[in-house]
Amino acid sequence: MKKIINIVVALILSLTLTGCKESTGYKVGASPIPHKEILEHVKPILKEQGFDFEIIEFTDYVLPNASLDSGDIIANFFQHTPYLNNQISEYGYDFINAGGVHVEPIGLYSKDYNSIDELPSNLELIISNSPTDRPRLLKLLDEAGLLLINSTTSNEDIINSSLEDLNNLFSSSKTITFIEVDTPLLYTNYINKSGDAVLINGNYALDNGLNPLVDALAIEGSASEYVNIVACRSEDENNEFIVALVNALQSSEVQQWIEENYGGAVVPAA
């Protein structure tokens, strides 16, 4: 088996809280691309409405919710609803989905193969170690013709399955071995040709210069279940800044900008 690159990303306490200095404005956590870029685009819109905010950049999936819970930031923009629900269940966070903005399609990438048809019969796939990503990963592989999910298999079955038992939930003409790594390291494994192919989340693909529409062997559809959302604490649901931020992000002008700026690699939710 090829060497798989994986480290404990929780040690990235490079929380990049570059902006955790005192500020009279609000602080919103975001991953670099496309979330931070989209927030940068709406800053002038919010400024005209009298709201100033600072974007706090995070490069992992753990710290943004921890910082939201502690009150270091008023909202974050990096996750989809299934991930948020899983975090609430696991950590008891009192968070809400304040509004959906866009979908980042996951893609299947390979340095060794140029098409689905070229993939070997004994197939090693590198995937995210986030169980909430699994249903969309398997759905993409199903749509690409690499496997067929059992008709009785639910998303909950896929999420709750052990990695070893995952293969019992589908049929395939190939022998598929799944290898989990921390999500920020998916691209690193792709570059180092770990496994035969890597399923990379849209934001990490974009952040590393990949265009899912051009570089992926297969790409998922824009399932609304995986819309990326703004999350905030329940107590801030009606906060005037949160309401203004979500309204701006969901406006036709910003949604059109997302569509044009990312050329389909990021899909507007509205």
Side-chain angles (χ1 to χ4, degrees):
M1 183 181 292
K2 301 173 186 175
K3 184 178 179 182
I4 308 304
I5 297 165
N6 197 0
I7 62 173
V8 181
V9 174
L11 291 180
I12 309 176
L13 279 174
S14 66
L15 144 84
T16 339
L17 275 180
T18 12
C20 230
K21 53 183 182 294
E22 289 300 315
S23 170
T24 54
Y26 299 97
K27 294 184 176 69
V28 179
S31 50
I33 301 177
H35 306 84
K36 182 180 178 182
E37 292 180 341
I38 296 171
L39 289 176
E40 291 284 6
H41 182 72
V42 304
K43 282 189 83 170
I45 299 173
L46 270 292
K47 187 77 170 178
E48 289 178 1
Q49 299 175 32
F51 298 104
D52 187 24
F53 71 97
E54 183 178 359
I55 304 168
I56 309 302
E57 183 178 310
F58 294 91
T59 56
D60 79 316
Y61 281 179
V62 177
L63 293 172
N65 281 332
S67 293
L68 179 59
D69 185 56
S70 68
D72 289 335
I73 55 179
I74 191 172
N76 63 41
F77 178 36
F78 78 100
Q79 63 194 321
H80 52 60
T81 305
Y83 184 79
L84 172 66
N85 291 340
N86 179 266
Q87 289 273 291
I88 290 171
S89 174
E90 185 172 355
Y91 297 105
Y93 291 141
D94 188 16
F95 295 167
I96 63 156
N97 169 0
V101 181
H102 70 272
V103 177
E104 298 165 17
I106 285 180
L108 179 67
Y109 301 83
S110 176
K111 279 286 190 181
D112 295 319
Y113 304 99
N114 298 312
S115 71
I116 294 291
D117 293 338
E118 291 181 14
L119 293 173
S121 2
N122 290 312
L123 181 61
E124 286 186 350
L125 293 179
I126 310 295
I127 65 172
S128 161
N129 64 357
S130 172
T132 55
D133 277 339
R134 286 183 187 169
R136 64 192 301 206
L137 299 181
L138 290 194
K139 183 179 179 182
L140 167 58
L141 297 174
D142 188 309
E143 291 173 348
L146 290 171
L147 54 81
L148 180 64
I149 300 172
N150 298 340
S151 59
T152 56
T153 297
S154 67
N155 284 355
E156 289 71 26
D157 294 333
I158 298 171
I159 291 170
N160 295 324
S161 171
S162 67
L163 192 62
E164 295 71 24
D165 292 335
L166 207 52
N167 294 63
N168 297 327
L169 303 179
F170 61 82
S171 57
S172 177
S173 60
K174 298 183 183 294
T175 301
I176 301 177
T177 301
F178 294 100
I179 302 163
E180 290 186 334
V181 303
D182 294 305
T183 312
L185 293 174
L186 292 169
Y187 179 77
T188 306
N189 280 272
Y190 163 71
I191 287 297
N192 285 278
K193 299 185 178 182
S194 301
D196 298 304
V198 186
L199 285 149
I200 304 179
N201 300 56
N203 60 314
Y204 287 110
L206 292 168
D207 195 29
N208 288 285
L210 292 173
N211 184 332
L213 296 177
V214 175
D215 300 314
L217 304 185
I219 188 172
E220 71 172 334
S222 57
S224 60
E225 183 181 4
Y226 298 103
V227 168
N228 279 227
I229 62 170
V230 173
C232 68
R233 293 180 296 277
S234 296
E235 65 194 66
D236 291 322
E237 180 177 7
N238 298 313
N239 180 284
E240 59 180 359
F241 169 71
I242 297 294
V243 173
L245 176 63
V246 173
N247 285 342
L249 289 168
Q250 293 180 338
S251 67
S252 56
E253 184 274 323
V254 172
Q255 293 281 296
Q256 183 179 348
W257 179 85
I258 290 172
E259 191 171 48
E260 293 173 352
N261 193 63
Y262 295 104
V266 178
V267 182

